[in-house]
Amino acid sequence: MTLNFFLTTSLKTACLTQVTLTTISIAHAVQTSGVSPISAKDNNELSLPLTHDIKKTITKMYSGQRLGVGATITGPHSVFSRDAVFEDPVAKCVGAEEISEAFRALRVCCSPVSLSPPRVVGNATMLNGGDGIGCMVVLELRQRYFGWLVVESLVVVEAGQDGLIRRVEERWNGAPLLMMFPFSIMRRGNGLVSYFVTSTFV
């Protein structure tokens, strides 16, 4: 009886904490007034073709379209690295498979519509990583979900020298994500739960 009570109480506390942190994270993003462009300054010549490819990929993903022949999120023709990360105020998905599932669920459940073509904000910034020079691109996005919910956001995309996308960070209203503990853990927990639920039931 005591063990059952302890387990039940612990589970309720964990769920309540998760919901509370998620609500705070959403409120932080929603209360930010309008999208504020990120300033980026660097030589744009090297990464210009990659910028075009990234914009095309993100446009199709967020509008609910498939990526097209020869381009997928997972598999041998993936445009994402195997350890790629997608993160927004609610969830963090790690790996191409989780990202693929997240956008499949978005397409099936949320009826996404792009209200205007994504716009590149500033210059693409070159990133000097351990395995070569990649780039970071910031896109301004205006979407409608469920037929009525309009969301404006900045999407920060990082790609490696190989052209594969390694990180996608969506900032609602341009608000930076709450990166401190325990919000990063909350988003990862939501990402895992979302992946399990949608891949099993949707």
Side-chain angles (χ1 to χ4, degrees):
M1 184 72 172
T2 304
L3 179 59
N4 287 339
F5 175 78
F6 173 77
L7 292 175
T8 302
T9 303
S10 298
L11 181 59
K12 287 181 179 179
T13 302
C15 290
L16 180 60
T17 301
Q18 190 75 4
V19 170
T20 301
L21 291 174
T22 301
T23 302
I24 293 173
S25 183
I26 293 173
H28 167 73
V30 170
Q31 289 179 2
T32 301
S33 56
V35 170
S36 54
I38 298 173
S39 60
K41 185 175 76 172
D42 208 324
N43 184 345
N44 198 29
E45 293 180 5
L46 177 64
S47 51
L48 185 59
L50 186 54
T51 299
H52 174 74
D53 292 341
I54 289 173
K55 181 180 177 181
K56 184 168 66 173
T57 297
I58 296 299
T59 298
K60 289 187 175 182
M61 286 172 59
Y62 274 91
S63 61
Q65 302 177 46
R66 301 188 183 279
L67 297 186
V69 178
T72 58
I73 295 181
T74 59
H77 302 294
S78 176
V79 295
F80 282 82
S81 64
R82 291 185 60 187
D83 57 350
V85 174
F86 169 81
E87 198 163 6
D88 68 10
V90 174
K92 178 179 181 178
C93 301
V94 178
E97 187 174 340
E98 286 187 26
I99 296 172
S100 177
E101 178 57 31
F103 280 90
R104 184 192 70 83
L106 179 79
R107 183 173 66 248
V108 172
C109 302
C110 302
S111 304
V113 175
S114 293
L115 298 180
S116 58
R119 185 175 68 89
V120 176
V121 179
N123 293 330
T125 303
M126 289 189 293
L127 302 174
N128 192 359
D131 55 351
I133 296 177
C135 76
M136 180 181 75
V137 178
V138 181
L139 300 171
E140 193 175 75
L141 208 63
R142 192 163 186 265
Q143 297 283 113
R144 183 173 65 225
Y145 302 103
F146 309 108
W148 59 272
L149 178 62
V150 176
V151 177
E152 295 183 353
S153 57
L154 291 178
V155 180
V156 183
V157 185
E158 296 180 11
Q161 185 184 34
D162 53 9
L164 298 180
I165 295 174
R166 300 187 176 184
R167 179 174 176 82
V168 178
E169 181 179 310
E170 183 179 356
R171 303 176 179 179
W172 299 352
N173 286 332
L177 301 183
L178 297 173
M179 302 303 292
M180 72 286 284
F181 177 86
F183 291 98
S184 57
I185 294 177
M186 171 274 295
R187 286 193 296 272
R188 183 63 187 127
N190 285 344
L192 289 170
V193 170
S194 173
Y195 174 72
F196 172 76
V197 171
T198 60
S199 61
T200 303
F201 301 106
V202 176

